[in-house]
Amino acid sequence: MNNPFETIEARLNNIENLLLDLKHKPAPAPPEKTAQDELLTIQQTAELLNLSVPTIYGLVHRRSIPVMKKTKRLYFSRQSIMDYIKSGRRKSIFEITAEAESHMNKSKKF
């Protein structure tokens, strides 16, 4: 029969080796937040938009900018802010002309 102390010692050595492997193995990187997940404070939003904090408060008051409010804090979704910025995009002369020609062609068919 095997000596039970030898079996225990072998198992302890195995456990020790596994622990050392885990200790020296690099920790997995935390999942990166996507731009859509990221919440911004009012100061971060002001920096992103290159506006002052009072201007951001004014936009919130006029309900011009998408915002979430929890207790007395305001939070802004980075993706919502980017969509807000893009919604104000003005069409180029080329896009307006192409759109007008498209409408003209449609109306000629009828």
Side-chain angles (χ1 to χ4, degrees):
M1 274 196 186
N2 287 342
N3 183 348
F5 292 108
E6 289 175 1
T7 305
I8 292 172
E9 185 177 356
R11 287 185 172 183
L12 284 174
N13 284 335
N14 189 21
I15 292 171
E16 183 180 29
N17 288 334
L18 289 171
L19 287 172
L20 287 172
D21 286 347
L22 285 174
K23 180 180 177 183
H24 295 295
K25 185 178 180 180
E32 290 185 26
K33 282 188 171 183
T34 63
Q36 294 176 351
D37 293 335
E38 189 175 1
L39 291 179
L40 305 173
T41 63
I42 194 158
Q43 290 81 9
Q44 292 169 322
T45 304
E47 288 175 18
L48 177 67
L49 298 176
N50 199 23
L51 297 171
S52 68
V53 171
T55 301
I56 300 295
Y57 278 119
L59 292 171
V60 168
H61 179 71
R62 291 190 302 276
R63 297 181 184 260
S64 299
I65 191 169
V67 64
M68 294 167 276
K69 186 174 181 182
K70 188 70 174 176
T71 62
K72 293 184 178 184
R73 307 278 325 240
L74 297 177
Y75 298 97
F76 302 84
S77 161
R78 180 179 288 276
Q79 186 60 47
S80 294
I81 296 300
M82 296 310 290
D83 292 343
Y84 164 76
I85 293 169
K86 290 176 185 175
S87 71
R89 181 182 176 278
R90 299 177 84 183
K91 294 180 182 178
S92 69
I93 254 318
F94 177 77
E95 291 170 320
I96 293 170
T97 305
E99 207 172 272
E101 288 175 359
S102 172
H103 287 297
M104 294 293 287
N105 291 336
K106 286 181 183 177
S107 64
K108 287 182 182 178
K109 291 180 182 178
F110 295 109

